[in-house]
Amino acid sequence: MTRTIAIVGTSNIGAVKYAAPAIAAAYPDLALAFWGLPGGKFADCAVDASGCLRTAPGDAEALKMARRINGADMIDLSRADARLVIADTMGLPQILFVACGYDVVDWPHRSDKPLLSQAAFLAMMDEVIEAAADDLARRFQGVTPLFVARAPYPTTVVTRRGPLRLEPFATIAAHPEAARIEALYTTALDRALSARAMTLVAQPADTIASPFLTRPAFGKAAGDFRAADRVLDDHRHMNAAFGASLFRAFALALDPTIVGAEPRPPIEE
């Protein structure tokens, strides 16, 4: 029996969208339906009483964009067997800015920055994440099962000096507690989503170069979400290989016995 999977979200759905042919070959019993908008517009979308995800009422620009990108005003999530939301950063930049600006007194590292207790750091992290999770829960109220993937980490390109450098990811890359912070963040995000009847699909380990950074090979030859058939190197949205890896992680979360979710050979750098 074929199951329908609705994949919705920000422009980050592009990586999975361009992996659709490979996904169809690996998962013949899953039918994919896509619907997305750039982050600012997607943040205003919500599910209505009939189960349809729509643009904000009265936003003619978003509606026009939805028709151009998706070929449809909305997507009926009630007809899907499962839904994957590829969301925004889920509070991560704010958390990393704090991590880069303070020394946590309970940890061994010191860099002569203002001091912050671990309890205060964790409370800040929970507050930021829970606000993002509350927003998703409100916008997707009544939709179940709902799986959530956050925006991918940017690639290691953003740590270099030059126009692509991106804070706070460039600074956190050299932080001696980066691995600890990543583990705390992932745990807190998983906990917040679970408390709201949502399931986290974490970024696959095979795509990660180091805490909060994606391997550069996954940013090469990416399809442009905004323009069909346009290909570019994209250090933020990633390519079809990333999309295929993320979908495998989702498929395993959906059904650990599903055919097609076995590990793949590593991507070449």
Side-chain angles (χ1 to χ4, degrees), residues 2 9 11 19 53 66 69 74 83 96 116 148 151 155 171 173 198 200 249 257 261 264:
T2 300
S11 52
L53 179 64
I69 294 173
M74 53 75 182
R83 305 100 185 148
L96 295 187
L116 186 70
V148 178
T155 72
T171 297
M198 296 182 279
L200 173 65
T257 66
R264 293 292 191 270

Side-chain angles (χ1 to χ4, degrees), residues 45-66:
C45 295
V47 174
D48 64 18
S50 67
C52 294
L53 179 64
R54 298 181 179 274
T55 57
D59 191 339
E61 181 185 4
L63 185 59
K64 181 179 179 181
M65 198 177 296

Side-chain angles (χ1 to χ4, degrees), residues 144-203:
T144 185
L146 189 67
F147 296 80
V148 178
R150 61 169 304 283
Y153 299 150
T155 72
T156 56
V157 171
V158 304
T159 64
R160 305 171 189 165
R161 295 188 181 278
L164 296 181
R165 188 174 176 87
L166 182 65
E167 294 295 352
F169 296 93
T171 297
I172 201 69
H175 199 298
E177 298 288 357
R180 184 201 300 263
I181 297 165
E182 183 182 44
L184 290 171
Y185 172 78
T186 303
T187 298
L189 180 57
D190 183 43
R191 181 172 61 243
L193 292 175
S194 295
R196 292 157 180 81
M198 296 182 279
T199 300
L200 173 65
V201 179
Q203 181 165 334

Side-chain angles (χ1 to χ4, degrees), residues 14-17 19 23 218 237-248:
V16 181
K17 190 173 184 179
I23 292 170
F218 288 97
H237 294 93
M238 308 309 148
N239 59 22
F242 181 93
S245 183
L246 180 62
F247 190 86
R248 283 196 296 275

